[in-house]
Amino acid sequence: MSENPRRPVSRNWLLRAAAAVGATGLAASLVGGGAIAGGAAPIKAPPPAFNPPEAAGKTRTALLAGGCFWGLQGVYEHVRGVKQVIAGYSGGAAATAHYDIVGTETTGHAETVKIIYDPALISYGEILRIYFSVATDPTQLNAQYPDQGSSYRGEIFYMNPVQKAVATRYIAQLNAAHVYSRPIATRTDPNPGFYRAEDYHQDYLYHHPDAVYIATYDMPKVKALKALLPGDYRATAVLSS
């Protein structure tokens, strides 16, 4: 399948960036949407101070939004302890949870990933640590460069009161420690429902690693996961199916 036309990388932007920092510097700047791309470079966030253990014996679910779901899904498919990651939509109605409609920025949805994980292998807090470290720039409001609009907002949809407490306390912890140069813009809200995205979106990074958008904005996130949090990284991706 050809690369989706709604995910272009501006040739003029790339040329301007290369002229400003040089071809070698551009590659480094692009990692995680660096300063040239309007966001912060990946940073190894500290672990959450409040991270109570979850009962083992069954899988748990995390719902996270933070830019294009291709990149979010691609990152978490390489996380140890994750069993499945599904790309979809949360925050709006079922009737309008379709890519072309969500793209109008009128439905209230955010591009979201549903992460099924084994709490015996990875905690909810560590999933959030990965989110804030490499999966998204939490300081951008209603955007993840170059994607603009509320459907690309950063939002943690908590599934229960414990997840709410972990998420809200962690954001407060990171802000208090000034881990980022700007305040965190990521929202926390209760689970509004999740609607699976169209099949052609599933495992997009895995199937299209050389697509310009993926190579520029998303593959560097997977590399950053391996470099910054090697204990959480696994080389073989677990796919949505």
Side-chain angles (χ1 to χ4, degrees):
M1 189 186 79
S2 62
E3 186 169 5
N4 192 307
R6 288 193 62 237
R7 304 288 188 190
V9 175
S10 167
R11 182 183 65 181
N12 289 337
W13 176 83
L14 287 172
L15 290 174
R16 289 197 304 270
V21 302
T24 302
L26 175 60
S29 297
L30 285 172
V31 175
I36 292 294
I43 183 170
K44 185 176 181 179
F50 179 74
N51 188 23
E54 298 170 284
K58 65 177 183 178
T59 59
R60 298 293 192 274
T61 299
L63 286 182
L64 301 176
C68 174
F69 46 27
W70 294 347
L72 278 178
Q73 185 183 45
V75 167
Y76 283 100
E77 286 183 335
H78 282 280
V79 170
R80 182 184 62 86
V82 168
K83 300 299 183 181
Q84 186 183 40
V85 191
I86 303 169
Y89 312 101
S90 292
T96 54
H98 303 285
Y99 189 61
D100 290 339
I101 307 175
V102 171
T104 66
E105 304 296 343
T106 61
T107 69
H109 293 94
E111 292 196 8
T112 304
V113 291
K114 180 179 182 180
I115 303 166
I116 311 298
Y117 65 97
D118 183 346
L121 299 175
I122 189 168
S123 67
Y124 182 69
E126 188 64 15
I127 284 175
L128 295 188
R129 186 188 188 195
I130 293 166
Y131 174 85
F132 285 112
S133 295
V134 303
T136 187
D137 175 359
T139 69
Q140 293 193 49
L141 178 64
N142 292 332
Q144 284 291 304
Y145 196 92
D147 299 313
Q148 307 290 311
S150 61
S151 66
Y152 302 108
R153 66 186 181 267
E155 190 160 9
I156 298 168
F157 297 107
Y158 52 82
M159 309 295 290
N160 53 54
V162 174
Q163 286 192 356
K164 177 183 179 181
V166 173
T168 55
R169 293 190 191 188
Y170 193 32
I171 290 173
Q173 173 189 339
L174 296 175
N175 276 329
H178 303 288
V179 173
Y180 309 97
S181 60
R182 295 177 292 174
I184 292 172
T186 305
R187 294 165 45 176
T188 58
D189 288 294
N191 170 27
F194 175 84
Y195 310 103
R196 182 186 173 98
E198 296 79 357
D199 286 345
Y200 66 87
H201 287 301
Q202 304 302 329
D203 311 314
Y204 198 91
L205 180 145
Y206 176 84
H207 293 300
H208 304 276
D210 297 323
V212 174
Y213 181 95
I214 296 295
T216 304
Y217 299 104
D218 293 333
M219 290 304 294
K221 297 178 182 179
V222 177
K223 294 177 181 178
L225 170 67
K226 180 180 180 180
L228 295 182
L229 298 166
D232 290 324
Y233 173 80
R234 65 174 169 205
T236 302
V238 56
L239 302 184
S240 63
S241 58

